[in-house]
Amino acid sequence: MGNDRIKKVLNNTLQGEVRFDDISRTIYSSDASIYELRPLGVVIPKNAEDIRKTILAAAEENIPLIPRGAATGITGGCLGSGIIIDCSKYLNSILHIDPEKQTALCEPGVIQDTLNEAVSPYGLRLGPDTSTGNRATIGGMFANNAAGARSLRYSYMANHVLATELLLSNGETLSFDNVSIEEWNKLCQGSDTKASLYATCKQLREQLSSEINLRFTPMPRRVSGYNFPSLLHPDNFNLCQLLAGSEGTLGITTQITVKLSPKPENQKLCLISFDSLENAFEEVTSLLELKPLALELIDKDIITAGKSSPALQSELSWLVEIPAALLVLEFDGPTSSEMVRQTAAKFPSRSLIIEDIATMKSVWNLRKAGLGLLMSKRSYARAIAFLEDVSVPPQELAPFMRSFLALLGSADKRAGIYGHAGAGCMHIRPYMDLRSSEDRRTIESLMLATTQLLLKHHGSLSGEHGDGLIRSWLNEALYGKKIYQGFRTLKNAFDPHHLMNPNKIVDGPPLFQNIRKSPIKTPSTFLDFSKEGGFDLSVDMCNGNGLCRKKEGTMCPSFQATGDEKDSTRARAVMLHSMISNPQNDKDIGSQEVHDILDLCLSCKGCKTECPSQVDMAKLKAEAQHHYRQKHGLDLRSKLIGHLGYYFSWGSVFSSLANNFNKSSFGKYCLSLLGFSKSRSLPALAAQTFDSWIQKNHQASNQPSILLFNDTFTNFNNPEIGIAAYKLLTSLGYNVIVPPWKCCGRTTLSKGMLPEARKYAEALLNSLQNYPYLPLVFLEPSCWSAFKDDYKSLLPLAISNPIFLLEEFLLEPNTLKTLQKASKLIKRHDVAIHVHCHQKSLSGVGAAHTLLNLIPGITAKIIPTGCCGMAGAFGYESEHYEISQWIGELVLLPTIRKMPDCTYIISNGTSCRAQIVEGTKRPALHLAEYLNGILF
């Protein structure tokens, strides 16, 4: 048929999306593993029929198919050279919930946390709870036979999938559920495909029962190979249990019926510190006698990384010291308080009881972040997943780990270690440099030696993540020839032509055949990337864990709106990586492809904090845009946006005329020719600038002096905010100095105009030398972030002035006391705060919330939003208007519409306020306006 032909056939027959372009093939070539494998193309089906048609078309040309969910796996299980079928974007509906039977019928793309949220009102949840639950899909969990931290009670997915619909490689759809042994025997007597599959399973049961009992020692966690123990159930047979963990190699699941479980209640934690890993492992067996809901281990490397992680460090006040190892025991139910105290009593000087919900959540956040934290080390010698989830019976854990740590020491290597100690499943990530041939040899030898250790201790290479590309080559050594041949027999029965995710579980490729390429090009950069270890390492830090696919928080607003992999931070990092790692690629980071994939990055800086590896895509985008401008020049719209302050300064002279033009149909038409959306009006210019007002009204005093930064938007668009801030700070006892307006360069940074941004920054910082060491207070968070963050990479000049956002400065003890005294006459005020993305990323959401709740009479709450969607000029641009609205409608706008009219809306970002006012018709105030209005 040929590649062009199958692409045409698929485009003509599918309702979903067909992508065979270079960008799509590149971004789907990676997952969270150490591999990359460029697919032929990508299909994003809208329904099961799309998958069936894809299977039939691919079969004609002998093209493999690789199903994919969130691609959070660490084994390369969803990579392949055929056609990727991405089930996450559209096939993500919960089709039915039956609270009485405690079941849910799901499409494969349903996210674990989404399902749990939907069934929570019934007091239910899905038992297995992976650490990637805010983006992992039910289909992916089924394919990996996922478990999670509470597997001591819930085991893994094989025990929670009741029925499934499976599309085979011949296009047939078969349904499987629980059958008795008698029904199984009857099914084998038919002549159709289903009968043939049941007959094969029966044959394997009869021929291999003794070998299965020998090779599959009972243990809590084992997902290497096919789940042959499910063949031996004495009373019934559910083929779903055999399909669990099959990694899409037997067919593609289109519907899954899962069993739900009652939610744990009254949970409590007991933390036990150890001075060595070995001592922690020695206690596991005795602690299991206490019947905990979870028994997890966190090692020193993760704790240390958590302490320095921007996303976690503020949550870890309970960590007074950093032990070598920490065991976390969770108990639930009516006796949980008694059990944590009983446990703590066994370790009187080394235990900590945690019972409040917020602190328990922070402990679990640290544990769930383990993988990302280990990968956050800015070095090419990083924590590599190849023995990531070795598993042994819990009673064998201590001797196995002693032997393994000795083996690791003999190779002169160390590892980050954490995981499900109670289940005998440990996540072990030795620090290796994949560029080193010596380290590659060490990896292979360690895998071979560990396999022998596991055989000695009746263990498995995987207790959670499966085989994929990284471990399938060892399955024959692990299980022996008879079982391995049984695996082949099963694969051939379901998929005779080996088109379903081939080379996983059986016929695995050599260990390093598809290894991810390391950067070989180091582009010359305008920005300073030395803190990140260089531009190449900054890009390479993306480990593919896919946290940018979550639906909450700030990172990544465009993905949250579209649910499309190409709009994730991961996809952008993969594209940049391809430009600096592929020797055959003659393109660079200034290419059109990079420009296109970065187009919907809003530069919110959310990834700088929320990404476990702190991949700073806003900075990478600015650099890439600079290279693009160098190649392609600067369009007129970018010039206007970049030098907005300059044009505002001219327009403000004729503000009334400029505003009328902006609002008129003719004006909007003219602006649309430049690429601005007709659906928005550009910010109105004030009749009087803040500069002009200050010149007329400033009165020096003998009070302590501070600087108030006069940003472009305050000066030309909203001088009332500057006036309110000036009056507020003056009333609080300060001599407020407002230096003449100078642009900080934020608008040029947003357009990759880096030489211009540097000039703006140099001019501004030179002007501030007239006011050394005075506190510098900002009203606009994006300008504050330029000083706090971007200038460090843009120019070497040091900033002597301590810098504050207004709310940060008002929290200074003396200022706060004065504020509180002035608030005595305030009647009850309810306030809702939307925090600017840059502020969330660089200092968190707490300052304004803390400040307002310390003022008597005010009750403030944070609106649980991510990005507002406007992102400076982004939402004004015609090609971005629609997605800007989508992002606003995720949380921010609908939440505000539901608020009582008497609630004050506070938002300090200029673009945020514009989005709120336009989207809700509700007024949004700057904090300075609000406080000055109610206090003075």
Side-chain angles (χ1 to χ4, degrees):
M1 185 183 291
N3 295 351
D4 291 338
R5 173 67 177 154
I6 192 171
K7 178 182 174 183
K8 183 177 180 180
V9 168
L10 294 175
N11 272 318
N12 290 338
T13 58
L14 303 189
Q15 295 182 36
E17 301 173 37
V18 179
R19 302 178 181 175
F20 279 59
D21 59 284
D22 283 342
I23 289 178
S24 297
R25 294 176 65 204
T26 298
I27 64 177
Y28 280 89
S29 66
S30 295
D31 58 1
S33 72
I34 61 174
Y35 295 107
E36 64 176 323
L37 189 52
R38 192 173 170 86
L40 177 68
V42 180
V43 166
I44 306 177
K46 285 200 169 178
N47 48 50
E49 182 62 13
D50 276 355
I51 300 178
R52 190 185 72 84
K53 290 176 178 177
T54 304
I55 289 172
L56 293 174
E60 288 189 32
E61 191 62 21
N62 204 38
I63 295 173
L65 299 171
I66 305 96
R68 175 172 168 133
T72 60
I74 53 84
T75 69
C78 63
L79 303 180
S81 58
I83 295 174
I84 301 287
I85 298 183
D86 182 350
C87 298
S88 67
K89 185 175 181 180
Y90 297 120
L91 290 173
N92 54 19
S93 297
I94 302 172
L95 302 174
H96 182 65
I97 297 171
D98 190 329
E100 292 186 4
K101 293 183 178 179
Q102 298 188 350
T103 63
L105 176 62
C106 302
E107 291 182 320
V110 171
I111 295 171
Q112 174 190 323
D113 283 1
T114 302
L115 174 61
N116 285 336
E117 184 179 351
V119 301
S120 181
Y122 306 110
L124 300 171
R125 62 158 296 134
L126 179 67
D129 53 346
T130 67
S131 61
T132 56
N134 59 1
R135 66 262 196 210
T137 64
I138 299 300
M141 292 175 68
F142 182 45
N144 276 355
N145 201 9
R150 297 178 177 91
S151 65
L152 294 177
R153 177 173 300 171
Y154 299 116
S155 187
Y156 32 45
M157 282 293 285
N159 296 327
H160 294 265
V161 175
L162 301 176
T164 186
E165 284 191 358
L166 190 74
L167 268 167
L168 300 179
S169 60
N170 63 1
E172 281 190 76
T173 301
L174 298 182
S175 298
F176 299 107
D177 56 15
N178 195 60
V179 298
S180 66
I181 299 297
E182 292 76 16
E183 290 171 319
W184 186 4
N185 289 330
K186 289 180 182 178
L187 283 166
C188 293
Q189 296 171 13
S191 58
D192 58 7
T193 303
K194 189 170 186 177
S196 174
L197 295 177
Y198 273 102
T200 298
C201 292
K202 183 182 179 185
Q203 177 189 2
L204 290 170
R205 172 189 169 104
E206 293 170 348
Q207 293 179 351
L208 294 175
S209 58
S210 60
E211 193 72 11
I212 292 171
N213 285 323
L214 175 66
R215 296 287 184 172
F216 290 82
T217 305
M219 55 190 289
R221 302 281 285 272
R222 181 198 299 275
V223 297
S224 285
Y226 292 115
N227 188 19
F228 273 13
S230 67
L231 296 168
L232 304 187
H233 197 286
D235 302 317
N236 54 46
F237 174 57
N238 191 335
L239 209 145
C240 298
Q241 293 187 346
L242 185 60
L243 292 172
S246 62
E247 304 188 28
T249 62
L250 305 181
I252 299 176
T253 306
T254 57
Q255 288 187 11
I256 304 171
T257 301
V258 294
K259 176 180 70 175
L260 304 171
S261 302
K263 289 195 299 184
E265 295 182 348
N266 197 33
Q267 288 135 291
K268 303 287 189 295
L269 297 181
C270 180
L271 277 54
I272 309 170
S273 298
F274 293 89
D275 56 10
S276 74
L277 279 167
E278 290 86 348
N279 289 341
F281 292 128
E282 290 288 350
E283 296 291 343
V284 167
T285 304
S286 63
L287 289 170
L288 284 173
E289 295 174 3
L290 301 173
K291 307 292 185 188
L293 176 61
L295 174 49
E296 300 287 292
L297 180 137
I298 310 172
D299 84 337
K300 184 176 182 178
D301 285 12
I302 290 175
I303 297 170
T304 303
K307 278 281 195 179
S308 60
S309 166
L312 289 173
Q313 57 189 1
S314 63
E315 297 183 12
L316 302 183
S317 57
W318 50 271
L319 262 175
V320 180
E321 296 181 354
I322 299 179
L326 192 67
L327 285 179
V328 179
L329 288 90
E330 183 178 52
F331 297 91
D332 70 324
T335 63
S336 60
S337 295
E338 177 186 341
M339 293 308 299
V340 293
R341 281 161 178 73
Q342 181 180 333
T343 305
K346 295 176 180 290
F347 305 91
S349 62
R350 293 185 282 128
S351 58
L352 174 65
I353 293 173
I354 298 178
E355 299 183 289
D356 68 285
I357 293 174
T359 308
M360 286 194 291
K361 183 179 179 181
S362 74
V363 174
W364 283 118
N365 285 345
L366 175 65
R367 165 58 190 86
K368 289 182 176 182
L371 162 60
L373 291 173
L374 288 178
M375 295 294 286
S376 65
K377 181 183 176 185
R378 291 199 173 273
S379 166
Y380 282 104
R382 60 184 63 159
I384 300 299
F386 58 96
L387 298 167
E388 222 282 332
D389 54 320
V390 292
S391 183
V392 295
Q395 62 272 20
E396 298 269 6
L397 183 61
F400 167 76
M401 287 303 301
R402 275 198 305 271
S403 297
F404 176 80
L405 291 173
L407 179 65
L408 199 62
S410 68
D412 197 25
K413 294 294 181 182
R414 53 185 299 272
I417 298 174
Y418 65 104
H420 317 292
C425 178
M426 297 309 304
H427 298 300
I428 302 172
R429 284 181 165 254
Y431 296 100
M432 299 285 183
D433 186 345
L434 287 174
R435 302 173 304 171
S436 162
S437 57
E438 182 180 350
D439 273 10
R440 291 193 189 189
R441 286 192 296 271
T442 300
I443 288 172
E444 186 169 7
S445 64
L446 279 173
M447 293 187 77
L448 289 167
T450 302
T451 302
Q452 295 306 308
L453 262 183
L454 289 166
L455 287 170
K456 177 182 177 182
H457 292 279
H458 311 100
S460 169
L461 276 165
S462 175
E464 190 161 42
H465 294 145
D467 299 321
L469 295 172
I470 199 162
R471 289 188 284 243
S472 294
W473 65 285
L474 286 167
N475 271 337
E476 185 171 2
L478 187 66
Y479 289 111
K481 291 184 181 297
K482 289 182 180 179
I483 292 294
Y484 190 71
Q485 186 54 48
F487 289 169
R488 285 182 177 278
T489 299
L490 185 72
K491 171 70 172 174
N492 292 336
F494 275 84
D495 180 25
H497 302 293
H498 285 215
L499 296 181
M500 291 295 178
N501 206 11
N503 307 123
K504 319 299 189 319
I505 299 181
V506 296
D507 303 322
L511 176 59
F512 295 111
Q513 180 170 298
N514 301 297
I515 199 73
R516 190 181 190 219
K517 299 179 184 69
S518 297
I520 56 172
K521 307 172 188 176
T522 304
S524 176
T525 61
F526 190 91
L527 296 174
D528 181 5
F529 281 88
S530 57
K531 181 183 176 183
E532 291 86 355
F535 182 92
D536 49 350
L537 183 57
S538 183
V539 171
D540 201 56
M541 284 300 295
C542 175
N543 59 57
N545 75 83
L547 188 60
C548 45
R549 289 177 58 100
K550 62 186 174 61
K551 292 293 187 178
E552 74 281 348
T554 303
M555 175 183 73
C556 166
S558 51
F559 177 82
Q560 290 182 30
T562 68
D564 197 312
E565 175 68 21
K566 70 176 174 59
D567 299 324
S568 68
T569 306
R570 174 171 67 182
R572 296 170 190 134
V574 170
M575 177 57 72
L576 285 168
H577 186 272
S578 74
M579 295 295 162
I580 61 174
S581 63
N582 189 344
Q584 281 76 46
N585 193 341
D586 59 356
K587 298 174 182 177
D588 58 27
I589 63 171
S591 69
Q592 188 66 46
E593 289 86 348
V594 170
H595 179 75
D596 291 345
I597 200 73
L598 290 172
D599 181 53
L600 293 189
C601 171
L602 281 72
S603 298
C604 67
K605 295 181 182 280
C607 49
K608 185 179 177 70
T609 298
E610 295 177 23
C611 169
S613 297
Q614 293 135 53
V615 173
D616 189 350
M617 191 52 63
K619 182 175 179 179
L620 292 169
K621 179 179 180 179
E623 185 67 45
Q625 279 184 310
H626 166 68
H627 286 251
Y628 182 80
R629 305 295 181 204
Q630 297 291 102
K631 276 188 168 187
H632 302 277
L634 197 64
D635 60 282
L636 182 54
R637 185 180 70 182
S638 294
K639 288 180 181 178
L640 288 171
I641 293 170
H643 298 296
L644 195 62
Y646 174 79
Y647 295 109
F648 275 178
S649 67
W650 281 98
S652 65
V653 179
F654 310 99
S655 59
S656 179
L657 182 63
N659 291 337
N660 288 334
F661 173 80
N662 180 23
K663 293 178 182 177
S664 68
S665 298
F666 176 69
K668 289 190 175 184
Y669 169 75
C670 293
L671 290 169
S672 72
L673 295 178
L674 296 174
F676 293 99
S677 172
K678 290 182 180 179
S679 299
R680 294 197 196 273
S681 296
L682 296 184
L685 293 168
Q688 182 185 35
T689 65
F690 185 38
D691 259 346
S692 300
W693 186 89
I694 282 292
Q695 289 173 15
K696 297 175 184 177
N697 293 278
H698 173 63
Q699 294 182 349
S701 72
N702 293 324
Q703 301 295 332
S705 294
I706 62 170
L707 300 177
L708 180 62
F709 184 71
N710 183 15
D711 61 84
T712 295
F713 306 106
T714 298
N715 192 49
F716 296 111
N717 306 113
N718 300 111
E720 68 278 7
I721 292 174
I723 294 168
Y726 178 85
K727 290 181 176 179
L728 173 67
L729 292 166
T730 301
S731 299
L732 291 172
Y734 291 99
N735 176 41
V736 181
I737 301 170
V738 183
W741 167 77
K742 283 186 181 296
C743 179
C744 70
R746 163 59 59 205
T747 50
T748 48
L749 279 167
S750 73
K751 288 299 176 184
M753 299 163 61
L754 300 185
E756 295 89 339
R758 178 176 287 174
K759 289 178 182 177
Y760 278 119
E762 285 174 339
L764 179 54
L765 294 184
N766 284 332
S767 72
L768 290 177
Q769 290 179 7
N770 297 323
Y771 314 98
Y773 308 111
L774 288 183
L776 179 58
V777 179
F778 286 83
L779 303 175
E780 173 57 46
S782 62
C783 299
W784 164 83
S785 76
F787 270 72
K788 187 176 181 70
D789 183 33
D790 301 285
Y791 281 11
K792 296 174 184 177
S793 305
L794 192 62
L795 71 176
L797 292 178
I799 304 169
S800 66
N801 307 83
I803 63 174
F804 299 89
L805 283 165
L806 176 64
E807 52 264 51
E808 293 174 337
F809 185 75
L810 295 179
L811 277 170
E812 294 290 294
N814 292 335
T815 309
L816 180 60
K817 286 179 183 177
T818 308
L819 262 180
Q820 290 171 327
K821 288 179 183 177
S823 67
K824 291 180 180 178
L825 299 178
I826 296 178
K827 295 181 180 179
R828 176 180 167 80
H829 276 212
D830 288 324
V831 176
I833 307 165
H834 168 68
V835 182
H836 189 282
C837 290
H838 289 186
Q839 185 175 350
K840 288 174 188 168
S841 174
L842 300 178
S843 67
V845 301
H849 179 257
T850 301
L851 172 71
L852 291 175
N853 282 310
L854 287 172
I855 299 176
I858 298 177
T859 301
K861 64 180 180 181
I862 298 289
I863 305 173
T865 55
C867 179
C868 74
M870 190 67 95
F874 181 90
Y876 289 97
E877 296 168 342
S878 56
E879 72 273 25
H880 298 143
Y881 171 76
E882 185 176 21
I883 192 168
S884 168
Q885 292 299 98
W886 289 355
I887 294 168
E889 293 292 345
L890 290 172
V891 177
L892 176 63
L893 302 182
T895 302
I896 289 177
R897 291 189 196 110
K898 294 175 185 176
M899 288 179 177
D901 291 340
C902 59
T903 300
Y904 290 85
I905 312 298
I906 303 294
S907 182
N908 288 354
T910 300
S911 57
C912 303
R913 292 193 301 275
Q915 181 81 305
I916 291 169
V917 172
E918 182 174 298
T920 69
K921 310 305 178 189
R922 292 280 300 270
L925 298 173
H926 191 284
L927 179 67
E929 293 178 285
Y930 171 71
L931 287 177
N932 186 65
I934 65 171
L935 295 177
F936 301 106

